[in-house]
Amino acid sequence: MPKTEAKISGARLMVELLEEYGVDIVFGYPGGAILPFYDELYKSTKIKHILVRHEQGAIHMAEGYARSTGKLGVCIATSGPGATNLVTGLTDAKLDSVPILAITGQVATNAIGTDAFQEADIYGITIPITKYNALIKSADDIARHFQEATLVALGGRPGPVLLDFPKDVQTELTSVRKVDKLKIDSRHYQKPPIGGDLDSFAAALNKAKRPLLYVGGGAINANASKEIKELAEKGNIPVTTTLMGIGAFPGTHQLSVGMLGMHGTAYANKAVLECDYILNLGARFDDRVAKPGEFAENAVRAHIDIDTAEFNKRVSVDYLLHGDLKEVLKALIPKVNKVDRPEWVGFLDTIKKNHPLEFDDSTDTIKPQAFLQKLYEKSKGKAIVSTDVGQHQMWAAQYYLFEEANRWLTSGGLGTMGYGLPAAIGAKFGNPNKTVICVSGDGSIQMNIQELATIAMYKKGVKILIFNNNFLGMVRQWQELFYEERFSESEWNYNPDFVKLGEAYSIKGLKISNKSEIDKALEFFLEDDDARILEVMIPAEEKVFPMIPAGKSQKDMIEFSDTVRAGKK
């Protein structure tokens, strides 16, 4: 039976549950259907509310906070458009496995289904894009739904959850503050026991002459960086990461071959072609990395994951282990032989030397690759870097190296333009003493640019780097390479003055267009902890290489040197 205490309102209870859970910061935007909750939040001395300028900004801030701290990110919106403005962020968090709790206001229960003002069925809308969601119909159910939601958000493979909170339930009195029994099965949130044959799994790895570790975002969620490094060094096994796995293994380590896939390094993709054993650690064989039937076709393929839905989903594998990656690796590593593989490691060192990341830096124009190399050097690789989506995202993934997890924030699965700026703000709130840099493009930055006001209002020193080519750069690149240079609606014939725009929000800005200005601009950008906007003009025709065309495999990779030979650089 539920434990009973003195009656309080549903809104008061929700605030107390957040406080007891340890939530000390939430990102949100109030409205009519969530006002009773906001009235109780106003009284809280433990929770800081960050008032955003758009609900999509709120959920991406919660994502940035969660990704950079490992904690639950919390966002709040009202009913109707407030709630639906969270949908992109919820989908983004679902695809990238980010633990988010979204609390949405809803019209009173007796008005649901009547097309009431600002009514939207956010419960129904978000079923496929959340791990758990609930329409709370009684204040007596709040504690149970809260506990279930928070357990599911962080349990197993993390992800977003949503509690839809009708206005009359917020004011309804309840004495049920805790629950003795949940209505969901524990398999939805408890770590599963290790499933699979560890001995045969290890034996296959020990037989390999040319093994490769293929590390995804699941490694970061499992906090398994230490174990991955131990496994790699014990077996002298080279390591490649996905876009979401960046930081799970030190980027400067001798065994690192960088990111694989569509815009991965040539040496990572060649390692996939040459390996005789590939071990997927918390990745999902996504379509930007693995073409079914051709991915590592000459290798034994193995996979460790906490989510059984990922097994054999796109690429069939020979060996499986199910469970929390950190726990599985702890059990596996003692069974793995300590081996020197000088021929394999030496072969990849030669590939690295012969197929480096390349670009033409022979003119006075600023090449984004060169700029990011300088930014990496000047910030000593210590910054938290958030990106939007497009060419700048891929250049940052290639040229800014990370030694630790949780410092690289990007939208990997959904590819959400507009993610970068609010995610950086959320990361800065979670890491006030660290340098946080948003790397964006002139297209992406304008999708949530209103959050400059949040930076100004809370005086957060987020550094905003805008690569401006007056194009949707990645769209232009595809149109140039695959659509005979028909640049259909990818050129901006007008862009705002980003420096003056920053000044309107009391954020200092600078614009540069010649590479002789880079050093001075970076001094301006990084000299203190104040917010800065740095607009860097880059050539419209600059492209991201290497590139594997969509639907192709590693065998079809195009390198920069190929374009030079073809006269198309």
Side-chain angles (χ1 to χ4, degrees):
M1 292 291 291
K3 295 177 180 177
T4 58
E5 299 178 30
K7 288 188 175 183
I8 59 174
S9 73
R12 180 67 228 156
L13 176 58
M14 185 69 84
V15 171
E16 289 187 3
L17 290 168
L18 288 167
E19 290 175 342
E20 290 167 8
Y21 189 81
V23 172
D24 56 9
I25 188 165
V26 297
F27 305 90
Y29 198 113
I34 195 73
L35 280 183
F37 175 68
Y38 264 88
D39 194 48
E40 291 297 335
L41 199 57
Y42 181 80
K43 303 167 190 170
S44 175
T45 58
K46 297 179 180 177
I47 300 174
K48 181 178 180 65
H49 180 275
I50 305 304
L51 180 59
V52 303
R53 299 305 166 113
H54 190 285
E55 292 86 354
Q56 187 179 355
I59 191 163
H60 292 323
M61 286 181 207
E63 284 190 278
Y65 176 85
R67 285 280 297 178
S68 63
T69 64
K71 299 178 182 176
L72 180 70
V74 180
C75 61
I76 304 163
T78 190
S79 64
T84 57
N85 282 340
L86 298 179
V87 167
T88 296
L90 289 167
T91 314
D92 192 274
K94 180 72 160 44
L95 282 171
D96 286 347
S97 305
V98 185
I100 297 295
L101 168 62
I103 300 172
T104 51
Q106 182 55 278
V107 300
T109 51
N110 62 2
I112 291 175
T114 66
D115 294 334
F117 177 68
Q118 291 194 330
E119 181 194 359
D121 178 14
I122 198 64
Y123 167 77
I125 290 168
T126 59
I127 286 174
I129 55 172
T130 54
K131 283 186 72 184
Y132 172 102
N133 71 348
L135 170 61
I136 306 175
K137 297 177 181 175
S138 165
D140 289 348
D141 294 332
I142 293 172
R144 175 176 62 80
H145 282 308
F146 182 89
Q147 190 170 343
E148 290 175 346
T150 50
L151 282 170
V152 170
L154 284 160
R157 179 179 180 171
V161 298
L162 180 139
L163 296 177
D164 200 21
F165 201 11
K167 193 169 184 179
D168 58 326
V169 179
Q170 296 172 46
T171 55
E172 181 185 347
L173 296 179
T174 180
S175 58
V176 184
R177 301 190 186 193
K178 296 180 180 177
V179 287
D180 296 326
K181 187 176 182 181
L182 303 180
K183 290 189 176 181
I184 57 171
D185 192 279
S186 61
R187 64 186 168 86
H188 293 295
Y189 54 87
Q190 287 186 346
K191 283 185 182 179
I194 296 174
D197 186 342
L198 273 167
D199 290 330
S200 62
F201 198 97
L205 175 53
N206 289 330
K207 286 179 186 174
K209 303 291 185 187
R210 302 184 304 279
L212 179 67
L213 301 185
Y214 156 33
V215 178
I220 294 173
N221 288 332
N223 191 27
S225 293
K226 176 176 173 289
E227 288 73 21
I228 290 170
K229 189 165 180 267
E230 184 179 350
L231 174 62
E233 292 178 342
K234 186 175 184 182
N236 270 295
I237 309 172
V239 179
T240 182
T241 67
T242 67
L243 182 67
M244 296 306 295
I246 288 175
F249 187 77
T252 57
H253 197 289
Q254 183 188 356
L255 290 169
S256 172
V257 293
M259 181 177 73
L260 81 169
M262 179 176 280
H263 291 297
T265 64
Y267 30 96
N269 286 319
K270 288 180 180 293
V272 172
L273 291 171
E274 297 294 333
C275 69
D276 66 354
Y277 175 100
I278 189 163
L279 173 52
N280 177 330
L281 303 173
R284 56 189 180 91
F285 293 109
D286 78 88
D287 63 288
R288 288 295 194 261
V289 167
K291 181 179 181 181
E294 295 187 21
F295 181 73
E297 56 187 340
N298 299 317
V300 172
R301 294 185 291 268
H303 191 182
I304 302 173
D305 208 292
I306 197 166
D307 186 354
T308 56
E310 294 299 339
F311 292 143
N312 297 312
K313 187 171 79 174
R314 296 191 69 253
V315 172
S316 297
V317 299
D318 303 287
Y319 295 91
L320 296 172
L321 285 176
H322 175 225
D324 175 78
L325 183 58
K326 189 180 187 73
E327 300 303 319
V328 175
L329 288 176
K330 281 182 178 178
L332 179 67
I333 289 170
K335 298 176 184 291
V336 174
N337 295 339
K338 183 171 176 54
V339 183
D340 290 328
R341 292 183 167 94
E343 289 187 7
W344 175 228
V345 175
F347 171 78
L348 289 181
D349 284 343
T350 302
I351 296 290
K352 283 183 187 177
K353 184 178 177 182
N354 294 339
H355 297 269
L357 290 168
E358 292 181 286
F359 57 94
D360 178 8
D361 198 23
S362 62
T363 68
D364 289 334
T365 59
I366 300 175
K367 293 303 179 76
Q369 304 94 325
F371 188 93
L372 287 162
Q373 284 178 326
K374 282 275 189 179
L375 177 64
Y376 170 71
E377 292 167 9
K378 293 285 186 183
S379 62
K380 301 176 182 176
K382 300 292 185 184
I384 294 174
V385 175
S386 168
T387 78
D388 270 303
V389 171
Q391 288 181 309
H392 66 273
Q393 177 191 31
M394 295 298 117
W395 286 318
Q398 292 174 335
Y399 289 92
Y400 199 102
L401 304 180
F402 294 86
E403 301 302 298
E404 299 176 21
N406 303 112
R407 289 176 178 266
W408 167 249
L409 316 176
T410 198
S411 173
L414 193 62
T416 306
M417 294 173 68
Y419 166 93
L421 179 61
I425 297 170
K428 189 64 178 177
F429 274 107
N431 303 269
N433 297 320
K434 292 182 179 175
T435 300
V436 178
I437 301 172
C438 168
V439 179
S440 189
D442 53 315
S444 284
I445 193 67
Q446 296 184 69
M447 287 215 171
N448 267 317
I449 202 165
Q450 76 284 345
E451 300 307 334
L452 290 176
T454 307
I455 290 175
M457 183 167 159
Y458 293 96
K459 296 181 171 53
K460 286 296 165 185
V462 175
K463 312 292 184 181
I464 304 159
L465 169 62
I466 304 171
F467 285 124
N468 186 352
N469 59 4
N470 291 311
F471 265 93
L472 292 170
M474 191 60 88
V475 175
R476 186 194 187 282
Q477 176 167 335
W478 283 43
Q479 289 173 330
E480 179 179 334
L481 295 177
F482 311 120
Y483 293 88
E484 300 176 332
E485 301 188 3
R486 293 186 294 277
F487 301 119
S488 177
E489 302 302 326
S490 56
E491 182 177 10
W492 300 115
N493 292 315
Y494 172 81
N495 257 329
D497 183 325
F498 292 108
V499 172
K500 286 187 176 178
L501 189 61
E503 289 172 358
Y505 291 100
S506 302
I507 299 172
K508 292 180 181 176
L510 183 67
K511 178 179 180 178
I512 61 172
S513 56
N514 188 293
K515 68 180 181 185
S516 64
E517 302 171 285
I518 291 178
D519 286 337
K520 195 169 183 179
L522 283 172
E523 284 181 23
F524 160 81
F525 195 53
L526 300 171
E527 64 183 352
D528 55 32
D529 195 38
D530 288 346
R532 291 282 191 276
I533 289 178
L534 181 55
E535 181 183 1
V536 179
M537 302 304 296
I538 62 172
E541 64 273 12
E542 193 63 27
K543 290 180 280 296
V544 185
F545 288 112
M547 180 178 189
I548 299 173
K552 301 290 186 178
S553 74
Q554 273 75 16
K555 290 180 288 189
D556 304 300
M557 178 174 58
I558 305 167
E559 296 182 59
F560 175 77
S561 56
D562 298 327
T563 67
V564 172
R565 281 192 291 272
K568 296 179 179 178
K569 69 177 183 178

